[in-house]
Amino acid sequence: MNHKLEIRGVTQVFSSEEGEVKALEGVNLEVRPAEFLCIIGPSGCGKTTLLRMVAGLEQPSSGEIILDGKPVRGPSPDRGMVFQEFSLFPWRTVLRNVEFGLEIKGKVEGKVKGKGGGVSGKKERREVAEKYIELVGLRGFERHYPYELSGGMKQRVAIARALATEPAILLMDEPFGSVDAQTRNVLQEELLGIWQRTRKTILFVTHSVDEAVYLADRVAVMSARPGCFVKCLEVDLPRPRKRTSVEANEFREKLLMWLSLERSKAACIF
Amino acid sequence: MRLPREEKGLWLVPLVAVILLWEFSAVFVVKDPLKLPRFSAVVFSIYALRDVLIADTLVSLLHFGIGVGLAFAVALPLAIGMGWSRRVFKAVDPIVELLRPIPPLAWIPLAMIWFHLTHYAAGFIIFIGAFFPILIDSYTGFRDVPKVLVETGKVLGCIGDRKQIRFVALPYALPSVATGTRVGMGVGWMCVVAAEMFAVSDYGLGYRLFQKFYFLHQMDYVVAYMLVLGLVALCLDRLFRHFVEERLFRWKKGIVK
C-alpha cells in the first residue's frame, strides 16, 4: 500500500542544562491517503513534538519523515497546521488571514515567473479565500478582526487558512482544546464535514478519548516519555457516528485500557 | 475615540478656570508684568507677533523634521535587528544603555563643533532626544512577537528572516513603533528650544524666545512663545494620533483599551 506520510524511526532528544531528555524514541507511523488519524497520549508524551516535526518546525535527532515520497526538510505550505493556541494574525481581517498563505505563495511565484499568475492575482486569491471561509461556515464575517470572534470561530478561520494553500496533509494540534464542550462538539462535526468534502489526509493530536473515537479512522496510542506508539487501533464504527452508542462506548473502553496499559510501561510495538 | 455626549465639553471648564485664575492673580496679586504677564496681554502678543511667529514656527518645524525624521530612519532598522535577533541585542544593548542616559543638552557642544551654526546642529540635538524612545518601544514590539504567529507564518510559506519580519513581525510591532514615535516626537519637541538657543539660525521659536525676547526681558512675548510651543506640539500629537495611531490600533481595540 502506498502511504501518504511515513514516519520512520524518529527519535528526538532535547538537551538542556540538566542533561539530555529523550522525548521520542524510534517512532514509526504510516498514514494512508485521505485518512483521519488521531494520535492520543498523556500530556508530555511527545505527540505535539511529533506533529511539529511533520510540520517541519523541529528537526528529528534521527530518523526520517516522508510525505508523498519526499523527505520533510523544513516548514512548507504543503503541510497545513492548526495550532492549539489561537494563532490568527490579529492585524488582519478574517479574509486577509485566510489569504495569507496565498499572498506569500504569490510573492514567491511572482519572483520566479517575473509576473504574478495563478493564485497570486488579487481576485483569484479572494475567490479561493472566500470559498474556504464558506466551507468553515463563516460567510459574512470576512471583514471582522480576530478580536471580534469567539474562540470557536477563531479556530474555524485557522482551519480555513490552513486549507487555503491546498496542502497535501492537514496537521492539527489539539485544535479544540481551548473551546467549551458544546462548541467542541459542533466543531468536531464540522471538521468531519470538511474532511469528507475535501478528502484531505488529517493527522490530529488529542488527549481526549471521546474526540479520538468520534473523529478517527485509526487511533495511534502513545506512551509517555520517551514517547512511542504502543498500539494502533482501527475505529470500525460506521459514520455518521453517534457519541453515545454502545459500540462507541465499547471502543472507548478498549482505548482507555490501552492508555492505562502504557502507564504500566508496555513495550513499544512499533 | 468617541466621547459620550455629556463628556464632550468637559475639558473647557478647567481650562477657563485656569485662565481666569491666571488673569486674576496677574492683575490683583502679582501686579508685576515682568514676573507674571497677564493672559490677555499674552494673547495680544501672539496676535502682534503673528508674522514672525509663523516664520519661527516653520523653521522650528524644519529642525524638528530633520531630527525626528533621522531618528526614525536610524532607530527603526536598529530596532528590527535588536528585537528580532538575540545576538544583535546582546551586542548592541550595552552601547545603547550607555548613550541613552546622556541628556540631549550635553550633546550641544559636540553638535556645534560638528555642524557649526546650521539647521543640522539643531536637528542633531532633536535627533538625540527622539532617537531612544523610538528605538526602545520599537524593539520591544519586535521582540514580543508571539512564537505561534512566527511559526504560523513559517508553515504558510514565510521562509527566511526577511519574509518573517515583513509579513509577521513588522505588522505586529507597528503599534509599538507608533507609540515610540509619538513619545520620541514629544521629547524631540522639548529639545527644540535648547537646540535653537545658540543661534543656529535667524529664526526659530527657541531662538526668538531666548535670544531676543528673554534678552530684552519682554516676558509677555516669552510666555506667548511658550504657549505657541505647547500649541504646536499639541497639534502635532493630535495629527499623529488621527492619521497614524487610529489606523494602526484598530485591530488592537479588543486587546488594549
Side-chain angles (χ1 to χ4, degrees):
Chain A
M1 191 203 260
N2 64 329
H3 301 296
K4 186 77 183 166
L5 177 79
E6 273 180 83
I7 297 170
R8 282 195 205 142
V10 162
T11 297
Q12 179 72 313
V13 184
F14 293 115
S15 28
S16 65
E17 276 156 30
E18 288 100 55
E20 293 192 332
V21 180
K22 227 175 216 177
L24 294 166
E25 188 167 28
V27 171
N28 295 299
L29 184 69
E30 279 114 32
V31 186
R32 304 167 196 149
E35 181 178 38
F36 199 130
L37 191 134
C38 275
I39 298 176
I40 194 168
S43 5
C45 71
K47 53 195 194 297
T48 292
T49 305
L50 186 65
L51 201 73
R52 288 171 58 82
M53 287 194 293
V54 178
L57 293 169
E58 277 171 44
Q59 298 300 321
S61 308
S62 66
E64 255 192 320
I65 295 166
I66 293 156
L67 178 74
D68 286 326
K70 277 173 279 177
V72 166
R73 298 255 179 266
S76 144
D78 64 5
R79 277 152 283 138
M81 175 107 171
V82 180
F83 292 89
Q84 179 180 11
E85 312 103 291
F86 298 131
S87 62
L88 298 187
F89 299 118
W91 59 90
R92 286 177 168 247
T93 59
V94 168
L95 183 70
R96 304 255 300 126
N97 257 288
V98 178
E99 281 183 341
F100 187 88
L102 302 169
E103 224 177 290
I104 306 296
K105 211 170 172 181
K107 289 260 152 45
V108 177
E109 280 171 5
K111 251 188 200 144
V112 175
K113 280 191 254 164
K115 212 181 159 221
V119 286
S120 53
K122 212 176 167 184
K123 217 177 127 220
E124 291 90 333
R125 212 158 65 202
R126 179 136 308 175
E127 275 165 19
V128 174
E130 273 166 0
K131 187 179 103 191
Y132 284 101
I133 291 170
E134 169 113 52
L135 184 71
V136 296
L138 282 181
R139 222 178 133 165
F141 289 94
E142 288 90 344
R143 315 244 161 259
H144 284 59
Y145 281 95
Y147 76 84
E148 299 169 292
L149 305 178
S150 68
M153 287 159 96
K154 283 180 194 166
Q155 287 308 66
R156 290 189 216 189
V157 179
I159 292 168
R161 184 176 61 184
L163 289 171
T165 50
E166 283 169 12
I169 186 168
L170 186 61
L171 310 171
M172 307 186 87
D173 182 14
E174 298 187 35
F176 310 142
S178 35
V179 298
D180 62 272
Q182 254 101 39
T183 311
R184 185 182 246 236
N185 285 357
V186 174
L187 287 171
Q188 286 169 356
E189 227 166 281
E190 284 184 2
L191 178 63
L192 284 181
I194 291 166
W195 171 62
Q196 270 148 8
R197 258 171 289 164
T198 57
R199 303 308 300 157
K200 283 274 174 250
T201 311
I202 298 183
L203 192 57
F204 190 107
V205 162
T206 181
H207 61 249
S208 156
V209 172
D210 293 356
E211 193 163 60
V213 173
Y214 185 67
L215 293 175
D217 287 330
R218 270 196 307 158
V219 184
V221 184
M222 213 174 204
S223 77
R225 204 162 274 167
C228 66
F229 290 114
V230 289
K231 185 72 185 168
C232 205
L233 296 162
E234 295 274 350
V235 188
D236 45 6
L237 305 171
R239 296 178 192 269
R241 288 178 187 159
K242 228 177 150 233
R243 290 172 201 276
T244 47
S245 71
V246 179
E247 294 80 13
N249 250 329
E250 277 168 1
F251 195 90
R252 228 169 268 150
E253 213 175 300
K254 195 156 69 170
L255 198 53
L256 280 168
M257 188 207 73
W258 276 104
L259 272 166
S260 64
L261 255 190
E262 64 77 25
R263 262 176 227 125
S264 58
K265 215 69 217 131
C268 294
I269 48 149
F270 62 97
Chain B
M1 210 187 329
R2 283 278 120 79
L3 293 172
R5 231 186 131 78
E6 61 270 26
E7 286 177 23
K8 242 176 189 165
L10 206 58
W11 58 278
L12 264 170
V13 181
L15 185 69
V16 171
V18 167
I19 288 172
L20 285 176
L21 188 70
W22 174 2
E23 186 76 18
F24 178 84
S25 10
V27 177
F28 297 106
V29 184
V30 182
K31 290 183 199 162
D32 180 356
L34 190 68
K35 283 186 184 151
L36 183 64
R38 290 160 53 181
F39 174 74
S40 48
V42 169
V43 172
F44 181 74
S45 303
I46 293 180
Y47 180 73
L49 291 165
R50 63 191 179 282
D51 289 333
V52 68
L53 189 141
I54 289 169
D56 284 335
T57 305
L58 288 177
V59 171
S60 285
L61 283 175
L62 171 72
H63 296 156
F64 179 72
I66 294 174
V68 172
L70 220 62
F72 187 81
V74 179
L76 187 64
L78 188 60
I80 294 175
M82 286 176 78
W84 191 248
S85 147
R86 263 220 82 67
R87 293 179 66 186
V88 174
F89 180 84
K90 286 233 161 117
V92 181
D93 185 56
I95 307 176
V96 169
E97 288 308 311
L98 176 72
L99 294 179
R100 192 161 71 101
I102 301 174
L105 304 198
W107 288 89
I108 289 178
L110 265 187
M112 293 296 143
I113 302 287
W114 287 350
F115 302 102
H116 312 291
L117 295 177
T118 61
H119 294 308
Y120 295 104
F124 179 73
I125 301 304
I126 296 162
F127 165 84
I128 298 286
F131 179 76
F132 292 101
I134 302 179
L135 178 71
I136 305 291
D137 268 333
S138 302
Y139 86 61
T140 311
F142 283 98
R143 190 192 57 198
D144 294 345
V145 181
K147 194 174 157 223
V148 68
L149 293 188
V150 178
E151 290 188 336
T152 301
K154 282 184 192 171
V155 183
L156 290 168
C158 284
I159 311 298
D161 290 326
R162 263 185 97 141
K163 277 211 189 107
Q164 283 154 27
I165 288 170
R166 162 120 163 56
F167 290 102
V168 182
L170 187 66
Y172 183 86
L174 227 42
S176 308
V177 175
T179 304
T181 307
R182 200 172 144 212
V183 177
M185 280 168 67
V187 178
W189 188 251
M190 284 184 210
C191 295
V192 162
V193 173
E196 291 172 349
M197 234 159 56
F198 295 89
V200 292
S201 58
D202 295 333
Y203 290 96
L205 293 168
Y207 164 73
R208 185 90 45 204
L209 189 155
F210 229 84
Q211 292 285 347
K212 299 284 174 183
F213 300 155
Y214 174 61
F215 195 69
L216 299 171
H217 279 48
Q218 288 170 305
M219 293 315 285
D220 47 345
Y221 284 8
V222 168
V223 177
Y225 262 48
M226 287 169 66
L227 278 188
V228 170
L229 279 163
L231 272 175
V232 173
L234 181 74
C235 292
L236 283 173
D237 195 61
R238 282 291 149 97
L239 282 173
F240 187 80
R241 257 158 75 173
H242 182 75
F243 285 105
V244 183
E245 282 199 339
E246 280 283 298
R247 242 165 257 198
L248 291 178
F249 280 94
R250 201 163 26 178
W251 61 266
K252 273 207 143 179
K253 261 180 205 153
I255 302 166
V256 286
K257 190 67 207 161

